[in-house]
Amino acid sequence: MDFTLSDEQLAIQQVSRDFAENVIKPRAFAMDASGEFPLDIIQQMGALGLLGLPIPEQYGGAGADFLAYCVALEEIARGDASVAITMEAHTSLGATPFLLFGTDEQKKTYLEPLASGQKLWAFGLTEPQAGSDSGGTQTHAELADGEWVINGSKMFITNAGTSMTAGVTVTAVTGVKSNGRKEITNLIVPTGAEGYVIGPPLKKMGWKASDTRPLSFDNCKVPQENVLGSVGGGFKQFMQTLDAGRVAIAALCVGLAQACLDESLKYSHERSQFGKPLHDFQLIQAKLADMATEIELSRLMYYKAAWLHMQGRDFTKEASMAKLFASETSKRAADQAVQIHGGYGFMDDYPVSRYFRNVKVNEIGEGTSEVQRILIAKQLLQSLR
Ligand SMILES: Cc1cc2nc3c(=O)[nH]c(=O)nc-3n(C[C@H](O)[C@H](O)[C@H](O)COP(=O)(O)OP(=O)(O)OC[C@H]3O[C@@H](n4cnc5c(N)ncnc54)[C@H](O)[C@@H]3O)c2cc1C
């Protein structure tokens, strides 16, 4: 077993680390305070190839492997959570479905500008009344005169309303299957489509500079060929999309947890009490050791899930486990980081205060921790049936 990253993975890790350290991190405080979407940073990342890392070069991407993408995401998250989730939602949820399920023409029209980082794309699954129960989608679409007419709404959609967003892929009910279940289809809705209304940005506890919006579809019309994948294949497709997305979210969480450890190590060296630096106290050392151990374990978990994915093997259980453990690791790391900083950790001037707010949502987005436990148990129980 060899845990060494390849030369290419190491090079991508270094580029991402340098960009996070030199460009993103110095702006993180201001981005959080203003909540403004960092368009110029995202455009620079596009130019560096960071928005299409796992997409083959023939479609405008960097042609890197999935682990390289996750490793890059970890580094970007170490710089800032809002930038990292913008990259993740765009790459895993926006662009990748075009690679997996798109026609040649759709790849040319939609995937190339996304993979080359000129445009962003969103993925609209969640609805006001359908979150964890994603099969409970109420948005529906009917075919009329060669067009899909979409009605309904979506909630909490990342990247839908930035000035570089080209559109959103939405799930919609397009009929009833022979088993009586809803037939769900993924439809491509370009920004500016008739009847597509992008709501105002939502105000959030964390990830403040990422773009999160409600969307509504009021007799929204898109051409018949705007089906992504097959009619009725939508449910299976987004499940597949979310499996890989969860590995990427685990990597993002590791980056956030690592940032908590970085700041804690620095602060415990600088701050003295009782005539000694904080890191001389064994109770502080125990916190640092626990953080580092959980981070290492979370990193190994996402490496393994990414490796299984790259081998073409089943990785559903490992993806859920990595996402579950890494998100909870990042929450514990942020909690301990604030504790190590004492009262200063509660002040906005210190990054750990922001980290504390940024980690919570990882236990919610792309499947809550409860949903991950349900999925893991389902996999375990399958072997008994
Ligand atoms: C900042 C942000 C960005 C997001 N970006 C996107 C995006 O780009 N695209 C997109 O489609 N969605 C996005 N989401 C939505 C996200 O995926 C959902 O919030 C999440 O799936 C949970 O759905 P919900 O919020 O409706 O909670 P609910 O499903 O209502 O859950 C509420 C609580 O009940 C629990 N629960 C639900 N069902 C069960 C059960 N069967 N057993 C036990 N407990 C249960 C949940 O775990 C949770 O604790 C985003 C969310 C946020 C906050």
Side-chain angles (χ1 to χ4, degrees), residues 24-335:
I24 301 175
K25 218 171 151 192
R27 300 258 304 271
F29 176 85
M31 281 191 277
D32 182 67
S34 71
E36 212 170 290
F37 182 75
L39 184 66
D40 63 317
I41 290 184
I42 303 300
Q43 285 171 332
Q44 284 180 68
M45 287 169 67
L48 279 172
L50 294 175
L51 297 183
L53 278 172
I55 310 291
E57 288 174 45
Q58 70 180 113
Y59 303 119
D65 62 33
F66 185 72
L67 179 58
Y69 159 58
C70 291
V71 166
L73 198 50
E74 179 189 329
E75 295 301 329
I76 298 297
R78 203 169 164 185
D80 182 65
S82 293
V83 175
I85 192 58
T86 302
M87 172 177 166
E88 192 278 338
H90 165 76
T91 309
S92 291
L93 309 183
T96 302
F98 284 107
L99 177 67
L100 296 178
F101 315 115
T103 61
D104 287 347
E105 203 176 325
Q106 287 169 345
K107 287 189 175 95
K108 186 143 197 57
T109 310
Y110 300 108
L111 182 57
E112 286 188 18
L114 304 182
S116 59
Q118 293 157 44
K119 296 285 179 191
L120 287 180
W121 198 268
F123 174 78
L125 170 64
T126 306
E127 300 189 357
Q129 305 306 328
S132 302
D133 180 14
S134 47
T137 299
Q138 291 177 4
T139 295
H140 56 95
E142 278 94 40
L143 254 187
D145 300 329
E147 288 181 314
W148 290 102
V149 183
I150 311 169
N151 281 286
S153 53
K154 297 287 170 182
M155 192 49 158
F156 306 136
I157 308 306
T158 304
N159 287 341
T162 80
S163 59
M164 63 185 285
T165 300
V168 60
T169 305
V170 293
T171 50
V173 180
T174 49
V176 183
K177 291 192 166 181
S178 52
N179 60 7
R181 292 217 173 135
K182 286 176 178 172
E183 176 193 86
I184 296 178
T185 302
N186 286 329
L187 297 172
I188 300 166
V189 183
T191 302
E194 186 189 334
Y196 171 33
V197 180
I198 301 169
L202 296 162
K203 297 210 180 310
K204 311 187 287 285
M205 177 197 290
W207 291 7
K208 284 177 182 280
S210 71
D211 185 77
T212 317
R213 299 180 188 246
L215 310 176
S216 61
F217 304 87
D218 182 10
N219 285 324
C220 168
K221 294 194 177 83
V222 297
Q224 183 167 0
E225 62 268 22
N226 278 25
V227 170
L228 182 55
S230 58
V231 172
F235 191 80
K236 223 170 159 183
Q237 283 170 220
F238 70 69
M239 284 301 181
Q240 195 179 332
T241 302
L242 286 173
D243 272 352
R246 284 170 185 147
V247 184
I249 290 289
L252 185 154
C253 293
V254 172
L256 300 184
Q258 184 64 53
C260 293
L261 179 60
D262 295 344
E263 289 301 316
S264 300
L265 282 169
K266 195 163 79 163
Y267 189 78
S268 65
H269 185 63
E270 289 163 3
R271 173 77 171 171
S272 286
Q273 288 293 282
F274 302 99
K276 289 182 194 176
L278 291 182
H279 63 38
D280 279 4
F281 300 117
Q282 286 186 344
L283 283 171
I284 298 291
Q285 289 176 7
K287 292 185 198 303
L288 296 170
D290 286 349
M291 283 160 88
T293 304
E294 289 199 10
I295 290 169
E296 187 64 15
L297 185 50
S298 302
R299 187 176 285 123
L300 290 174
M301 290 177 84
Y302 92 69
Y303 277 25
K304 181 177 175 194
W307 176 80
L308 286 170
H309 181 32
M310 284 156 50
Q311 302 298 310
R313 289 166 60 175
D314 187 19
F315 66 108
T316 299
K317 183 176 85 227
E318 287 76 8
S320 284
M321 286 174 162
K323 198 264 181 186
L324 173 65
F325 191 74
S327 59
E328 296 190 350
T329 290
S330 66
K331 188 181 71 174
R332 283 190 290 269
D335 188 26

